[in-house]
Amino acid sequence: MSPKVSDAYKEERRQSILDVALRCFAEKGYGSTTVDDIAAGLGVSKGVVYLYFAGKEELYKQVMEERMQQSITGMKKRFRPEDGAENKLRQVFHAFRNQSLPELKRLLAFYLEFWLESSRREDLKAVMDRQSTYAEDFIASIVEEGIRSGEFRPDADPADFSALFWATRDGIALQFVGGGEDADYRKRMEAMERTLLGSLLQSGK
Amino acid sequence: MSPKVSDAYKEERRQSILDVALRCFAEKGYGSTTVDDIAAGLGVSKGVVYLYFAGKEELYKQVMEERMQQSITGMKKRFRPEDGAENKLRQVFHAFRNQSLPELKRLLAFYLEFWLESSRREDLKAVMDRQSTYAEDFIASIVEEGIRSGEFRPDADPADFSALFWATRDGIALQFVGGGEDADYRKRMEAMERTLLGSLLQSGK
Amino acid sequence: MSPKVSDAYKEERRQSILDVALRCFAEKGYGSTTVDDIAAGLGVSKGVVYLYFAGKEELYKQVMEERMQQSITGMKKRFRPEDGAENKLRQVFHAFRNQSLPELKRLLAFYLEFWLESSRREDLKAVMDRQSTYAEDFIASIVEEGIRSGEFRPDADPADFSALFWATRDGIALQFVGGGEDADYRKRMEAMERTLLGSLLQSGK
Amino acid sequence: MSPKVSDAYKEERRQSILDVALRCFAEKGYGSTTVDDIAAGLGVSKGVVYLYFAGKEELYKQVMEERMQQSITGMKKRFRPEDGAENKLRQVFHAFRNQSLPELKRLLAFYLEFWLESSRREDLKAVMDRQSTYAEDFIASIVEEGIRSGEFRPDADPADFSALFWATRDGIALQFVGGGEDADYRKRMEAMERTLLGSLLQSGK
DNA sequence: AATGAATGAGTATTCATTCAT
DNA sequence: GATGAATGAATACTCATTCAT
């Protein structure tokens, strides 16, 4: 009566499909990725993918939904209660800066393509918006915390800062998707950290 | 013995195919645009597209090659000899700021997708690189002119400035491809103009 | 009122189309030859071909009808009244043997393909049959003449000999369409001449 | 985990595709045979053909490679150890003579077209050459055996005989592709057997 | 649960033929 | 007469999805 395979096993498999799918979508693009590519990457048959996801598009959405939030959630978890807002922000910059460039390119290629596609298809748009909101809230809430604690300028606008933060990150990303050196990327991210963080810290103190 | 239709007619038709193709590629994406879509958009049969272009991919490349450079070439032509470098740069900002947002979105969606695709396919990469070089040279040469004439700081770096210029433009673009208000876009572009132009002008004056 | 172009001009053009068409059909095959190929070979536009022939298939048939018979007719014309039957047959062998191999290959490739196609399409079959009859009659009538004149064995069968003649020629042809040396071809044709002619000549004399 | 269908099933299906393909190619020609024709002949969808063969051309090559050799291989298998060389050769003639004419026509139409096409396309040429070599070796090796055993004239040339054998078979074939009576075909093949075999047997006996 | 054979809709491309100029 | 732009039917091939085993 009990299921032959445990829920844990199922979840594990589900995650591994998402992993492989992200990699495939990023490297070949959504249109050029076949369900067989993903199954082959997992070493299983096509049928398995359909056992866990309703279809290719559904899989695409869920990669965005889960994998993109995962990096943010990962950061959140690493925050300790005693970390201040500035410290948290620095951890965020640090995390972005120290991603390996190949992996970053993968994530960004996936992300940019999803963005593009979402501007064309309503159902993807909803996923994208949810994702954007989650990301914006993440940064905005740190800023709010910093304002409350007096670490950041009281006149800083959490929403504006957050928008600027992601716009800059995306802009830089764009430059490096096509190719670029690891060192250049880190330098660019440091400049971003200096500029953005500088605009938040109390100027007069 | 003479051709039935004039060269002017043929060129006109060629341009109209490029126009429709840009619109289709931007709205539906390269993969989802069928040659029939383009032909239908023109009100002709599929065969006509193949009469003017070797195939869908060739058409894709030529839209990039011609349409993207066209906006830059258009600006160049409008420059008068007596315009100074600052004036030219302001014209450039003005032109970007005053593009209609729908048309801008189209251009940018096309441009971003081409960028993404070019990171995956060698032949597109070559076109993309040519295009990037052309764009970077355009801005860099204005900056050089301004340095020579004393309008801009002598220590400004034309190549760096040009890279920053396009990165910022692309970053902003990215934000608006998904949607956004006309007014917000102009405000953002004005901020860009202030910041970037400010960094070029003689500080001691 | 008189035609702008003379009939002679028209016939000349018609023949030049047949020439180019034979060459194209032989080299690329019927299916792979486009009407544009033929027009380009002539240095005129596609339309001209349709001015002289009802369509590609019609042209195909007429190449067979006219060009294939032409080589036979050419031989006939070169016969002088005083030539005996044996002499005529030797001239025929001589003509076949001394064709340039490339040209021969062309003719045979065309001929074999037509044969093949004619086994599949009724309308070509009629043309092929007419052609075969013409060729068989040509050889058979020489044999008949030789029997009457006493040059050939009285018990020779003109029809059988003719059939054997063409079968052998075709069999050899088949071997060389795929490739082969000029010298080998001539040697093979000489063997054919010896064998076939030997079987006709009076044995007891 | 185990495959759903057995390897035997797959091989059977593969063979049935080759069968139908041979029939289609022979009856309609390569160019006029559509993949849908073949699928329809099997009562399955187009996709199945692509499941077993990489494409139409690949299928074409494999029909030649497998089906043509099959008839030869079939004969080889029927040889018993105690059969002498003459006996083997007689079995070969017998097998050719007793093929049903419709089936023979099919095989030959396919074979001739492939030959023709191979003179125009390099990749087919390689297949054709392999096939020719296999066929020539088959006959030549019987002749060699006969020479060794003293059944055949010691001065017979295996390679020459083999070439002549196939040339004659092809020549006769050519005559019957277009049409012809069953009885005439057998008579012709008998004449071929007498002539060729006669030239091999010890003359002094 | 897993497999992978089968389906068939969807698409780029070619080319014979027509016909306005 | 000649041109060549336009048409559109035809066809190879791909791949998401289904489902019998």
Side-chain angles (χ1 to χ4, degrees), chain A residues 17 19 22 29 71 74 98 150 157 171 173-174 187 198 201-202:
Chain A
I17 296 174
D19 275 343
L22 169 57
S71 60
N98 287 288
D157 181 315
L174 206 52
K187 206 154 56 174
L201 294 173
Q202 292 290 4

Side-chain angles (χ1 to χ4, degrees), chain C residues 25-30 108-110 112-113 115-117 119-120 125 163 166-168 170-171 174-178 188, chain D residues 25-30 108-110 112-113 115-117 119-120 125 163 166-168 170-171 174-175 177-179 188:
Chain C
F25 288 141
E27 277 172 11
K28 318 171 70 155
Y30 178 72
L108 288 171
F110 175 85
L112 288 177
E113 188 180 26
W115 189 324
L116 218 46
E117 288 293 312
S119 76
R120 292 166 184 151
K125 186 102 173 88
W166 290 111
T168 312
D170 292 342
L174 207 51
Q175 306 290 326
F176 285 87
V177 168
R188 195 78 61 94
Chain D
F25 288 142
E27 275 171 14
K28 319 173 67 156
Y30 178 73
L108 288 171
F110 175 86
L112 287 177
E113 187 180 28
W115 190 322
L116 216 47
E117 287 292 311
S119 75
R120 291 171 185 143
K125 186 107 175 78
W166 292 110
T168 312
D170 292 342
L174 207 51
Q175 306 290 327
V177 168
R188 195 78 62 93

Side-chain angles (χ1 to χ4, degrees), chain C residues 1-65:
Chain C
M1 268 300 164
S2 62
K4 268 187 179 162
V5 300
S6 68
D7 283 356
Y9 170 82
K10 278 162 69 174
E11 181 54 24
E12 196 183 324
R13 177 148 275 198
R14 199 173 162 279
Q15 290 301 324
S16 68
I17 296 175
L18 290 172
D19 275 342
V20 174
L22 168 58
R23 185 176 291 260
C24 289
F25 288 141
E27 277 172 11
K28 318 171 70 155
Y30 178 72
S32 301
T33 297
T34 70
V35 177
D36 266 319
D37 285 335
I38 296 166
L42 272 155
V44 298
S45 81
K46 224 189 328 243
V48 170
V49 175
Y50 284 89
L51 223 45
Y52 288 84
F53 298 91
K56 189 182 166 187
E57 167 143 355
E58 187 57 28
L59 177 53
Y60 192 46
K61 288 183 200 167
Q62 300 210 6
V63 170
M64 178 52 117
E65 200 100 56

Side-chain angles (χ1 to χ4, degrees), chain A residues 26 29 115 120 125 167 174-175, chain B residues 26-27 29 115 120 167 174-175 178:
Chain A
W115 189 325
R120 292 166 183 150
K125 187 103 172 86
L174 206 52
Q175 307 288 327
Chain B
E27 276 171 14
W115 188 324
R120 291 170 186 145
L174 207 51
Q175 306 291 328

